[in-house]
Amino acid sequence: MSDTPLGWVMALAIAIQFLSCDSTDLNRDKETLAIEQKVDSLLSLMTLEEKVGQLNHLKANYSTDIYKQNAHLPGIIKEGLVGALSPRSDIAGLIALQKIAVDSSRLRIPLFYAQDIVHGYRTIFPIPLGQACSWDMQAIEKAERVAAVETSAAGISLTFAPVFDITRDARWGRAMEAAGEDPYLTSQIAKARIRGFQGNDLSQPNTVIACAKHYVGYGAVEAGMEYNVVDMSERYLRQIHLPPFKAAVEEGMGSIMNSFNTIGGVPATSDPLILNQILKTEWAFDGFTISDAHSIDELVQHGVAVDFKEAAYRAFTAGSDTDLWGQVYSAHLPELVREGKIREAEVNESVRRVLRYKYKLGLFDDPYRYLNQKRFEEQIFTEDNRKAALDIATKSIVLLKNKEQLLPISKTKYKRIALIGNLGDSRARKDLMGNWSPFGRHEDIITVNQGLEKLLGPDQSLTHVMGCEHWGECTNTTMKEAEQLAKNSDLLILPLGEQGWDSGECSSRTDITLPGNQEELITRLGRTGKPIILLVFAGRAQVLTDIVDKVDAIMYCWQPGTMAGEAIANLVYGRNVPSAKLTVTLPYRVGQAPIYYAKLNTSRPRQGPDDKRWGVNKWSDAPNEPLFPFGYGLSYTTFEYSDMKIDKSSITFEDTLNISVTVTNKGNYDASEIIQLYLRDKVATVSRPIKELVGFDRVFIKTGESKKVMFQLTIDDLKYWDQNMAFEVEDGEFEVFVGKNSSDLLKDSFKLVDYRPSY
């Protein structure tokens, strides 16, 4: 057994749990105990340098970089000085490197292979922000299951995903990787994504270890600027930004990646509060932490370490287990141990975390289990995988406007259709797939043009012109060509918006209107008087204020992935009915950013949109309200909400509050509706949001049918981080809301009684 006290404690705890557990859990607990014993046995054989090697995560197939890493990759693998690689190689290349690790190194410890699989491997799903708008946990879990199957078939055993940043500022480019602005919804999505990647048994060969990122607060960078600072209270951190990560830990997530940002001046990579105290102590996380790329050596750039040696000390003692690409630990941890500044027992604990998951994956039993060319050929980009991508792409596209029910389009009324926009037939890999799709292939994409052509009626024609050049730059020549086509057409469909590189890492923007002069193109086409359907492609919430009245219908398509064109065409022609709802607020002006629905009331709240008094909380040059609120999304049918009821006017801490509402499909299409439940704590020890999402249900309702939808609340749903930083709640009045979005809601109230914690 290792000399690490934590090792003894964990083994004892597992043994006690084993003796007291139900028979259904015996096999799993027995396996866990066996893994811990194997890890401790292996640790006892390792040199200090070999232990640090397990914390060393490198790129592969690069000869040198600015840190001169990987110059002698096969040699250092043979010496046992590498624990994981981020490769860009075929399976044969990965087998060759793994063979060195397990056949030529002293202790034969297999390598992890890791990559950023953010929204699919070869079959590319909508960007995560788009997926979230489906509010469909089964579809999201299925997307990650497909991603795990393809990723594992490609030899990868660890994915640098999912992303659980709460993002309320659309200027931030990496909003496309996240699920939106709400911690409750993101927490539900976190659980679904972890289940999808890891399944219920990591030893199965079609699972991968999930790595939640970016821990934590990265979505709140100042001005939405990439890699910028974050400054927030611990209460806000715990209330808003930590819950999705906690949910992921509870779901069994295997690893977590530190974010680049500072929080209150302390870089996340060297912050003992979030790493050691919250993650490892409070949450009892048994996985391993991974620095973001070079974030340990970049502590020098942050100005909190004088050199790489001090950076290694600060990161490691704060709780950063592994060093991604920097080789700072390899260079300095052994020296720090020998100097007595870091105990070898602490190194053992970090190494234990890594080895634990290599055993859980079954890599010690079969180091090549993920490296099978036949499996790769059979499981990549299958028909079933494409069907899953089509399903969630269809459920992710948000209908924002549909004047006079223009959509779905009539095949008899509109004969000549003009498709105007450079995204209409784009095969640039990132344009329709979005950023972070490195293994997607441009030839796999179904374009908008292809999708529409497939569904044209016998008397319909479709003609496509660019209208704009790349990056949304529309010349007078291209706009005139578009205008001429528009005049000779019955209907205009405009696939416009962001190119693939307009969002993602290093793509923060101060202007979040449509890039280039696409708005001018829309204005000129609007003057033709022809009905216009605008398809907005984006990786963030964009400002559409100046064009919303110039078009008849708007579909917010995000970047829908491989099956983009088919999903869009199915919605345009009514083969599917839109059901998606926004998970981010669409601002009226960029100056409102950051903007979100769950705001505090303030000391001088405005009393509605018509309140023009001086001295209230308002903009002087724009409305307070967004253009489109959180939770908003239209359908081709109409849903009516009625008969909202709560079963108690007051509850105690032991009670469950039952809430019901009747939802009726009053239109002509069978469709799904996302019913949303919000809560407000009217008086507390700290100011609380005017409403917070606490539940939702995606319900399919046939035309003419009514369904009674039920929700339940317990005291745990009412708790928050109070003035004394206790997760508690006090007696008092609460308002509860049910409706179709965060602005269109029915309301009732209840009281919590006989419950007041002592302070």
Side-chain angles (χ1 to χ4, degrees), residues 354-644:
V354 173
L355 294 177
R356 178 181 295 142
Y357 274 84
K358 289 188 176 183
Y359 275 109
K360 284 188 175 186
L361 279 179
L363 289 176
F364 282 94
D365 296 327
D366 180 6
Y368 305 103
R369 67 185 310 160
Y370 289 91
L371 301 168
N372 186 308
Q373 184 66 38
K374 184 175 184 293
R375 181 172 162 235
F376 177 80
E377 293 168 356
E378 291 175 347
Q379 297 186 352
I380 299 291
F381 203 60
T382 66
E383 182 179 354
D384 285 345
N385 294 355
R386 296 194 296 274
K387 285 181 179 178
L390 176 61
D391 176 62
I392 196 167
T394 304
K395 293 174 177 176
S396 298
I397 295 170
V398 187
L399 180 62
L400 296 178
K401 181 178 181 180
N402 194 18
K403 183 179 179 182
E404 297 178 357
Q405 289 72 53
L406 173 61
L407 288 168
I409 63 174
S410 167
K411 291 186 177 182
T412 56
K413 184 176 181 179
Y414 301 108
K415 304 287 189 179
R416 298 167 300 172
I417 301 174
L419 183 66
I420 301 171
N422 64 309
L423 296 175
D425 211 27
S426 174
R427 285 197 174 277
R429 180 169 54 83
K430 292 181 182 290
D431 283 353
L432 298 189
M433 290 185 176
N435 221 314
W436 288 112
S437 53
F439 300 100
R441 298 185 181 180
H442 64 85
E443 64 266 26
D444 294 339
I445 299 170
I446 298 177
T447 68
V448 179
N449 194 25
Q450 286 177 309
L452 292 173
E453 281 188 334
K454 186 177 178 181
L455 297 185
L456 286 174
D459 299 322
Q460 285 185 305
S461 65
L462 179 70
T463 305
H464 174 240
V465 298
M466 294 283 284
C468 295
E469 303 294 342
H470 208 62
W471 306 115
E473 295 300 331
C474 313
T475 67
N476 191 49
T477 300
T478 59
M479 286 193 283
K480 281 186 175 180
E481 180 186 26
E483 287 176 292
Q484 186 59 46
L485 175 61
K487 291 174 183 176
N488 296 320
S489 302
D490 303 317
L491 174 71
L492 314 183
I493 300 178
L494 313 183
L496 299 171
E498 292 188 324
Q499 310 282 150
W501 286 104
D502 283 324
S503 59
E505 189 169 3
C506 298
S507 295
S508 296
R509 294 176 56 204
T510 60
D511 182 356
I512 54 173
T513 58
L514 299 187
N517 56 340
Q518 294 178 79
E519 289 193 359
E520 182 183 350
L521 172 66
I522 294 170
T523 299
R524 289 171 65 161
L525 293 175
R527 294 184 188 130
T528 66
K530 300 299 174 71
I532 297 176
I533 300 168
L534 175 62
L535 307 177
V536 179
F537 293 87
R540 55 164 52 84
Q542 295 200 284
V543 173
L544 306 176
T545 303
D546 293 338
I547 55 175
V548 67
D549 292 330
K550 297 175 182 177
V551 299
D552 300 277
I554 301 174
M555 279 186 171
Y556 213 87
C557 301
W558 306 104
Q559 284 145 347
T562 301
M563 307 302 291
E566 188 170 344
I568 291 166
N570 285 346
L571 290 169
V572 166
Y573 274 101
R575 296 182 73 175
N576 295 110
V577 178
S579 59
K581 306 262 190 176
L582 294 172
T583 62
V584 286
T585 300
L586 265 58
Y588 187 89
R589 293 293 182 205
V590 67
Q592 293 176 319
I595 185 171
Y596 48 95
Y597 80 92
K599 60 185 180 180
L600 303 184
N601 206 38
T602 81
S603 62
R604 296 183 177 186
R606 193 179 59 149
Q607 304 300 320
D610 296 325
D611 186 354
K612 302 187 183 301
R613 295 175 297 151
W614 184 89
V616 297
N617 178 230
K618 67 176 182 178
W619 301 104
S620 62
D621 59 350
N624 281 23
E625 292 71 30
L627 185 63
F628 294 105
F630 174 87
Y632 181 87
L634 302 176
S635 174
Y636 292 156
T637 194
T638 302
F639 293 103
E640 180 181 277
Y641 287 64
S642 63
D643 200 26
M644 177 186 173

Side-chain angles (χ1 to χ4, degrees), residues 119 146 164 292 343 413 472 501 530 682 739:
H119 54 114
V146 170
F164 300 141
D292 209 334
R343 294 184 301 119
K413 184 176 181 179
W501 286 104
K530 300 299 174 71
K682 294 194 70 174

Side-chain angles (χ1 to χ4, degrees), residues 172-427:
W172 188 48
R174 301 191 78 167
M176 55 81 57
E177 299 177 45
E181 69 186 56
D182 185 74
Y184 176 82
L185 178 58
T186 302
S187 296
Q188 306 314 304
I189 291 173
K191 296 176 184 178
R193 293 201 187 282
I194 298 302
R195 290 194 301 269
F197 275 129
Q198 297 191 171
N200 57 14
D201 182 0
L202 270 175
S203 68
Q204 295 301 307
N206 60 359
T207 62
V208 294
I209 294 174
C211 178
K213 61 185 189 183
H214 305 87
Y215 187 72
V216 63
Y218 197 22
V221 286
E222 287 187 357
M225 181 184 287
E226 189 69 83
Y227 313 127
N228 212 0
V229 301
V230 172
D231 200 1
M232 65 176 68
S233 67
E234 183 181 343
R235 175 176 296 104
Y236 196 76
L237 181 73
R238 288 183 179 269
Q239 195 75 42
I240 305 300
H241 292 271
L242 285 172
F245 293 96
K246 186 174 188 290
V249 169
E250 291 170 348
E251 202 63 41
M253 170 189 68
S255 64
I256 193 167
M257 180 177 284
N258 306 336
S259 55
F260 285 117
N261 55 277
T262 56
I263 303 175
V266 180
T269 305
S270 61
D271 190 342
L273 170 64
I274 63 172
L275 294 171
N276 278 334
Q277 180 178 321
I278 295 175
L279 179 65
K280 294 182 177 181
T281 302
E282 294 181 22
W283 297 351
F285 175 58
D286 77 341
F288 54 99
T289 64
I290 304 174
S291 75
D292 209 334
H294 293 294
S295 71
I296 295 177
D297 48 81
E298 287 171 359
L299 294 178
V300 175
Q301 299 296 328
H302 276 294
V304 300
V306 69
D307 54 22
F308 288 172
K309 181 178 178 181
E310 184 180 1
Y313 171 80
R314 291 194 177 278
F316 187 80
T317 55
S320 288
D321 294 317
T322 65
D323 177 5
L324 183 61
W325 302 355
Q327 291 197 107
V328 177
Y329 281 0
S330 294
H332 299 291
L333 275 190
E335 180 183 5
L336 288 165
V337 170
R338 293 185 179 109
E339 291 175 350
K341 294 179 180 177
I342 292 175
R343 294 184 301 119
E344 187 167 354
E346 295 172 307
V347 176
N348 289 348
E349 178 57 27
S350 289
V351 177
R352 177 179 287 107
R353 291 172 177 273
V354 173
L355 294 177
R356 178 181 295 142
Y357 274 84
K358 289 188 176 183
Y359 275 109
K360 284 188 175 186
L361 279 179
L363 289 176
F364 282 94
D365 296 327
D366 180 6
Y368 305 103
R369 67 185 310 160
Y370 289 91
L371 301 168
N372 186 308
Q373 184 66 38
K374 184 175 184 293
R375 181 172 162 235
F376 177 80
E377 293 168 356
E378 291 175 347
Q379 297 186 352
I380 299 291
F381 203 60
T382 66
E383 182 179 354
D384 285 345
N385 294 355
R386 296 194 296 274
K387 285 181 179 178
L390 176 61
D391 176 62
I392 196 167
T394 304
K395 293 174 177 176
S396 298
I397 295 170
V398 187
L399 180 62
L400 296 178
K401 181 178 181 180
N402 194 18
K403 183 179 179 182
E404 297 178 357
Q405 289 72 53
L406 173 61
L407 288 168
I409 63 174
S410 167
K411 291 186 177 182
T412 56
K413 184 176 181 179
Y414 301 108
K415 304 287 189 179
R416 298 167 300 172
I417 301 174
L419 183 66
I420 301 171
N422 64 309
L423 296 175
D425 211 27
S426 174
R427 285 197 174 277

